[in-house]
Amino acid sequence: MNTETLLALGSAFFGGSAVAFVNHLGTRERVKAEADKLRAEAEQIRFQTSTHMSAGLSADRETEIPGWHVAGTRVEDDEVVLDSEAARHGGCSARIDAMPRARGFATLVQSVDAGPFRGQRLRMTAWVRTENARSAAIWMRVDGSDDNMLAFDNMSDRSIEGTTGWCRYSIVLNVAPESLVIAFGFMVHGRGRVWADDFSFEVVGLDVPTTETTTAGYEFLAAPQNLGFDDPAALLS
């Protein structure tokens, strides 16, 4: 039974208080649907970036920016340039422009030897600015042999949206002893424009928490529950 039918029945039998209650239910349903949609989009971005940003990924398009290349799901929908007019302080920043109807994501990528950081906890920091961005982020991935992903964070649980000034963002990941390559960069998903500047790396202590988002968006129970599906208390309200 849809919300409109519930409103009609409530008005006929119980008056305004029932209508207000049904309106509340409808609002709650819409909020839940929007939250579910946002979680699904975040998970899609996480899956796309984690599967496409392997250290062995070949360049989808070369750039004129030394050390970097462009990758993504539809790089033809985006333009990557150096911007001398929007650097954080002097010099240039890098900018990704997504076309108005861009689909998928585009990222500027760099890959480095993990050797100097093996067995340590690494913090990557960068400055990012956005304009009308649907979703933007910095990201870092640690790979082992055969492009096996050992650690990953693309800010899927804290993406940058809309228009923002220069802000500092950080990612902290463990670099396991078997790590071979560290890949990193910044990205935009869908429409918008994003600038990045002044990437930096530092080894931090174990007191600094990691930001890994491989399991972001999932909720875990403390212990197995309702394994026979017979506990009414476990039913979703």
Side-chain angles (χ1 to χ4, degrees), residues 123-134:
R123 175 162 59 199
M124 180 185 78
T125 299
W127 289 81
V128 176
R129 170 186 166 188
T130 60
E131 182 179 295
N132 298 322
R134 179 185 178 190

Side-chain angles (χ1 to χ4, degrees), residues 125-178:
T125 299
W127 289 81
V128 176
R129 170 186 166 188
T130 60
E131 182 179 295
N132 298 322
R134 179 185 178 190
S135 177
I138 61 173
W139 62 271
M140 181 165 66
R141 171 175 169 151
V142 181
D143 279 358
S145 60
D146 299 322
D147 293 337
N148 180 37
M149 184 175 67
L150 303 177
F152 177 67
D153 181 11
N154 69 344
M155 295 179 57
S156 62
D157 58 345
R158 59 194 190 284
S159 62
I160 310 163
E161 300 174 357
T163 298
T164 64
W166 285 110
C167 295
R168 183 176 181 264
Y169 300 91
S170 295
I171 285 175
V172 180
L173 295 178
N174 290 324
V175 183
E178 65 270 28

Side-chain angles (χ1 to χ4, degrees), residues 92-121:
C92 295
S93 64
R95 189 183 79 224
I96 303 175
D97 292 339
M99 296 180 183
R101 296 185 179 181
R103 292 175 290 173
F105 75 94
T107 178
L108 198 60
V109 183
Q110 187 169 146
S111 300
V112 298
D113 181 8
F117 306 107
R118 287 188 190 121
Q120 301 180 87
R121 183 164 292 182

